[in-house]
Amino acid sequence: VVVVQHFDAALRATEYDAFVASIRARVEVAGLLMTPDAAFGRDRRGTSETLALLGVRDGFEVVVAPPFRMDGDKVSSSAIRALVAAGDLAAAERLLGRPYELLGDADGSWVSFALPVALPPSGERVAEVDGHRTLIRIDRAAGRVELERPLGVGRVRIRQIGRASWR
């Protein structure tokens, strides 16, 4: 069973044992699969070691799987964020197994994000915004993206296509 959980500020502040309890209230948990460096919950306190202790108490198993590697490179969210920050979206997409995308909230010409996101270096790019090709300006320091053409208000999906100059 896969449990999909929306990540937001409230979930980020949740203690690992409360998070596991909330999942166990919805589905029967036989075990958790983690990598050696995986951790979740407030301050990343939910490590494989702390969860194994919780599992002994509550009757579920914790299995630690070796890290996944692709062509010798460790595939992890940290590695992907570092590639995005360096502007190497092709390598990030190879590790993701899909195109790099941003999901944010548009308010006119600006798209902002409820939580910190991995943004490429600041600059101008050609992108697909909700299926329409347009120019964007990434402002990594401000943590937002400016759209060449205002979209109004609402949730938008951005996929970078390439570099470009602002018109």
Side-chain angles (χ1 to χ4, degrees), residues 111-164:
V111 178
S112 59
F113 309 95
L115 296 169
V117 296
L119 289 174
S122 294
E124 297 159 354
R125 312 281 194 291
V126 175
E128 193 174 278
V129 179
D130 283 349
H132 302 285
R133 188 175 283 232
T134 189
L135 292 174
I136 63 170
R137 181 178 290 143
I138 296 171
D139 185 344
R140 190 160 65 185
R144 62 185 188 170
V145 173
E146 183 180 7
L147 306 173
E148 179 188 39
R149 281 173 264 167
L151 286 180
V153 177
R155 184 74 88 184
V156 295
R157 184 176 304 275
I158 301 171
R159 185 174 64 85
Q160 180 180 318
I161 296 170
R163 293 196 175 272

Side-chain angles (χ1 to χ4, degrees), residues 2 13 25-26 29-30 34 51 54 56 78-79 93-95 125 141 153 155 162:
V2 174
R26 292 184 279 168
V29 175
M34 300 179 71
L51 288 161
L54 187 65
V56 167
S78 297
E93 289 176 345
R94 184 177 64 82
L95 296 184
R125 312 281 194 291
V153 177
R155 184 74 88 184

Side-chain angles (χ1 to χ4, degrees), residues 4 8 29 34 60 67 69-70 75 80 83 110 112 140 162-164:
V4 177
D8 58 16
V29 175
M34 300 179 71
F60 62 86
R69 296 191 176 274
M70 183 181 292
V75 178
I80 293 166
L83 290 167
W110 292 100
S112 59
R140 190 160 65 185
R163 293 196 175 272

